[in-house]
PDB file of all heavy atoms in Angstrom:
ATOM      1  N   MET A   1       9.075  76.996   1.219  1.00  0.00           N
ATOM      2  CA  MET A   1       9.355  75.563   1.206  1.00  0.00           C
ATOM      3  C   MET A   1      10.823  75.319   1.470  1.00  0.00           C
ATOM      4  O   MET A   1      11.686  75.939   0.864  1.00  0.00           O
ATOM      5  CB  MET A   1       8.981  74.969  -0.152  1.00  0.00           C
ATOM      6  CG  MET A   1       9.199  73.451  -0.220  1.00  0.00           C
ATOM      7  SD  MET A   1       8.970  72.827  -1.906  1.00  0.00           S
ATOM      8  CE  MET A   1      10.512  73.448  -2.605  1.00  0.00           C
ATOM      9  N   GLU A  26      15.266  54.423 -19.506  1.00  0.00           N
ATOM     10  CA  GLU A  26      14.363  54.635 -20.666  1.00  0.00           C
ATOM     11  C   GLU A  26      13.194  53.680 -20.632  1.00  0.00           C
ATOM     12  O   GLU A  26      12.093  54.024 -21.057  1.00  0.00           O
ATOM     13  CB  GLU A  26      15.158  54.465 -21.973  1.00  0.00           C
ATOM     14  CG  GLU A  26      16.191  55.569 -22.161  1.00  0.00           C
ATOM     15  CD  GLU A  26      16.985  55.394 -23.445  1.00  0.00           C
ATOM     16  OE1 GLU A  26      16.778  54.374 -24.137  1.00  0.00           O
ATOM     17  OE2 GLU A  26      17.808  56.281 -23.785  1.00  0.00           O
ATOM     18  N   PRO A 213      40.255  78.439  -4.215  1.00  0.00           N
ATOM     19  CA  PRO A 213      39.043  78.806  -4.966  1.00  0.00           C
ATOM     20  C   PRO A 213      39.032  80.271  -5.298  1.00  0.00           C
ATOM     21  O   PRO A 213      39.482  81.118  -4.509  1.00  0.00           O
ATOM     22  CB  PRO A 213      37.913  78.410  -4.020  1.00  0.00           C
ATOM     23  CG  PRO A 213      38.531  77.490  -2.997  1.00  0.00           C
ATOM     24  CD  PRO A 213      39.956  77.925  -2.890  1.00  0.00           C
ATOM     25  N   ALA A 229      30.476  63.323 -26.312  1.00  0.00           N
ATOM     26  CA  ALA A 229      29.290  63.755 -25.602  1.00  0.00           C
ATOM     27  C   ALA A 229      28.284  62.654 -25.597  1.00  0.00           C
ATOM     28  O   ALA A 229      28.107  61.911 -26.522  1.00  0.00           O
ATOM     29  CB  ALA A 229      28.709  64.986 -26.299  1.00  0.00           C
ATOM     30  N   LEU A 501      15.477  75.660 -63.606  1.00  0.00           N
ATOM     31  CA  LEU A 501      16.108  76.983 -63.874  1.00  0.00           C
ATOM     32  C   LEU A 501      15.313  78.118 -63.242  1.00  0.00           C
ATOM     33  O   LEU A 501      15.871  79.088 -62.732  1.00  0.00           O
ATOM     34  CB  LEU A 501      16.212  77.215 -65.372  1.00  0.00           C
ATOM     35  CG  LEU A 501      17.175  76.265 -66.125  1.00  0.00           C
ATOM     36  CD1 LEU A 501      17.131  76.501 -67.598  1.00  0.00           C
ATOM     37  CD2 LEU A 501      18.601  76.461 -65.604  1.00  0.00           C
ATOM     38  N   PRO A 527      25.994  74.536 -30.640  1.00  0.00           N
ATOM     39  CA  PRO A 527      26.244  73.175 -31.082  1.00  0.00           C
ATOM     40  C   PRO A 527      27.250  72.421 -30.232  1.00  0.00           C
ATOM     41  O   PRO A 527      28.115  73.017 -29.580  1.00  0.00           O
ATOM     42  CB  PRO A 527      26.781  73.363 -32.521  1.00  0.00           C
ATOM     43  CG  PRO A 527      27.441  74.703 -32.476  1.00  0.00           C
ATOM     44  CD  PRO A 527      26.637  75.526 -31.543  1.00  0.00           C
TER      45      PRO A 527
END
Side-chain angles (χ1 to χ4, degrees):
M1 182 189 74
E26 293 178 355
L501 293 177

